[in-house]
Amino acid sequence: MTDRAPDVIQTDLPASWAALRRHTPARIAIGRAGSGLPTQAYLDFQAAHARARDAVHAALDLDAMMHRIAACGRPVICVASAAADRDAYLRKPDLGRRLSAESKARLSEPMLAPDVAIVIGDGLSSVAVERNAAPVLQALVPRLESAGLRPAPIVIAAQARVALADEIAELLQAKVSVILIGERPGLSAADSLGIYLTFAPHIGRLDSERNCISNIRAGGMSPADAAAEAAELISAMMVHQASGVLLASRMRGLQQIAT
C-alpha cells in the first residue's frame, strides 16, 4: 500500500479573487487538484453540509428557551403546529403553518388584545433560535414598550413555519405579528435567524404582505441592529396601516410628495 500523493493545488485565478476571499466566507478562489477540489476544501464542504443537515433535524430545547425568556421577566406561552413530529414537519410544510387543535384552544382563551404578538419558532434551524432569539427579544421588547406598544406574552412554537404567526396573532387579536425563526441553513451559515413582520395578520396572508430581516447571527446582522430595524418597521406599519409591498409603496409615495 502506498501513501496518497499530496494535492497539487493550482491557483490560476486573478490576484483580486484571492484578495476577495479575505472578505467573504463564500467558497471562491479555493484552487483545484487536477479536475477536482483540494482535499481540505472538500472536507470543509462536507463538514458545512453536515452542520446544515444537523441544524434542520435538531430539536429546539423548548424548556430551556422558556426558562431563558421567563428569566427576563416575560410571560411565555408554548404551542405547537399541526405537524406531529419533525418528519411530518419536513414532508408536509402546510402542517407547520397551522396550530394544533390543543394550541389553538389555549390561545383562544380571553386576553387583552395586544399591539404586537411575538412568536419564537424553531423553523429550519433550532441552532439559530438557541443562539440568537433571546438577544433579539431582549433588545426588541423594551423598544416596543418605550414606543407605547403593548406586546402579548411571548409565544414559543414548535415545528413552526413563518405563516404560523398569522394564526397565532389573529387569535390574540394583535395588530402586528413578529416571528423570530430559524432560516434554512446554507453551506456558509447554519445558525441564521430571520424576523418576519406582518400588519393585520390573519390566516391566508401572502409572503408579499410581510417584511423580512434576515441573516441575524455572528458574522451577519447583530441582534441589537435587528431589533432596532424591527422596531422601526413596526412603527411604520402602525402609521401606514400596511406591511410588505404595500408598506413600501405608501412610504415611497410620501417621500415623493415631500420632494
Side-chain angles (χ1 to χ4, degrees), residues 18-217:
L20 186 61
R21 284 195 67 191
R22 297 196 296 269
H23 305 287
T24 175
R27 289 173 173 78
I28 61 172
I30 58 177
R32 55 191 172 90
S35 60
L37 294 173
T39 299
Q40 188 58 54
Y42 174 76
L43 293 175
D44 290 344
F45 180 90
Q46 292 293 93
H49 186 269
R51 285 192 293 270
R53 185 170 51 197
D54 288 347
V56 168
H57 290 280
L60 177 65
D61 189 334
L62 297 175
D63 289 338
M65 183 59 63
M66 288 182 68
H67 285 129
R68 287 185 72 181
I69 297 171
C72 298
R74 303 291 172 186
V76 185
I77 302 173
C78 194
V79 300
S81 74
D85 52 37
R86 199 64 176 172
D87 185 65
Y89 171 82
L90 294 173
R91 290 177 181 272
K92 299 180 179 180
D94 281 350
L95 293 178
R97 300 184 179 109
R98 297 300 299 270
L99 286 167
S100 68
E102 180 183 355
S103 296
K104 185 173 181 179
R106 187 179 308 149
L107 293 177
S108 298
E109 297 175 359
M111 183 185 304
L112 185 64
D115 294 308
V116 183
I118 302 177
V119 181
I120 296 176
D122 48 5
L124 290 169
S125 176
S126 60
V127 176
V129 176
E130 291 172 350
R131 293 180 181 176
N132 304 297
V136 171
L137 197 65
Q138 290 170 359
L140 176 59
V141 174
R143 285 179 175 272
L144 297 179
E145 292 176 334
S146 65
L149 298 174
R150 185 175 62 257
I154 307 302
V155 177
I156 302 176
Q159 314 297 1
R161 300 277 178 177
V162 170
L164 189 68
D166 295 336
E167 183 175 12
I168 291 172
E170 185 177 13
L171 289 169
L172 296 175
Q173 301 178 57
K175 298 174 184 175
V176 175
S177 71
V178 179
I179 182 167
L180 285 58
I181 194 167
E183 296 183 309
R184 186 184 304 276
L187 293 176
S188 296
D191 62 346
S192 179
L193 186 78
I195 304 177
Y196 293 81
L197 309 95
T198 310
F199 181 79
H202 58 79
I203 294 172
R205 276 296 202 182
L206 303 176
D207 287 341
S208 60
E209 297 172 314
R210 312 184 198 285
N211 292 84
C212 175
I213 304 168
S214 64
N215 196 35
I216 304 164
R217 62 182 184 90

